[in-house]
Amino acid sequence: MNLARFCQEYDLLLKEANLVRSMKFLSALIVTCLCVLLINASAAEPSKESQQLMALVKEVQAQHAAIADNQTKIDAKLVTVAEALRLARIYASRSGK
C-alpha cells in the first residue's frame, strides 16, 4: 500500500520536472529568437529603437539567468523535501503506526 502511494507521488514529481524543462526550453527559445532579431537589426545602422531593443534583450537575458538560478535552487529544495519524506515514511513504518 505504501509503495503504491510512494510510486504515485514519485510520478507526480517527474511530471512536474518535465513541465519545468519545457518552460526552460520555451524561455531559451524566446531569448534565442530575440538575439537573432537583434543581430539582424544590428546589421543596419544602429538607431534609437535598436538600442532600446538591445537594452530590453539584455534585461530579459538577466531575468532569464535569475529564473534559471532560482529554478536550480527550487530543484535542490525539492530533492531535499523528497528525501525527508522518504525518511519519514521509513521511520513511520518502523514505529508501527
Side-chain angles (χ1 to χ4, degrees):
M1 176 86 178
N2 288 337
L3 181 61
R5 184 181 298 162
F6 176 73
C7 289
Q8 289 173 346
E9 290 175 5
Y10 183 74
D11 288 341
L12 287 174
L13 287 174
L14 287 179
K15 288 178 185 175
E16 286 183 14
N18 289 334
L19 177 63
V20 169
R21 282 190 208 119
S22 65
M23 289 175 18
K24 286 181 182 179
F25 176 75
L26 180 61
S27 299
L29 182 64
I30 290 171
V31 169
T32 304
C33 289
L34 286 173
C35 289
V36 168
L37 288 174
L38 181 63
I39 289 170
N40 288 337
S42 66
E45 66 180 56
S47 66
K48 185 177 179 181
E49 289 179 0
S50 66
Q51 291 173 350
Q52 289 175 343
L53 181 61
M54 176 76 112
L56 289 174
V57 167
K58 287 182 181 180
E59 182 180 340
V60 168
Q61 287 174 335
Q63 289 176 355
H64 185 264
I67 289 170
D69 184 46
N70 287 342
Q71 188 62 46
T72 303
K73 291 176 185 176
I74 289 170
D75 291 341
K77 287 181 182 182
L78 274 174
V79 168
T80 304
V81 168
E83 180 63 18
L85 284 172
R86 186 184 72 82
L87 290 174
R89 286 188 182 120
I90 291 171
Y91 291 135
S93 67
R94 288 182 183 173
S95 69
K97 291 185 179 180

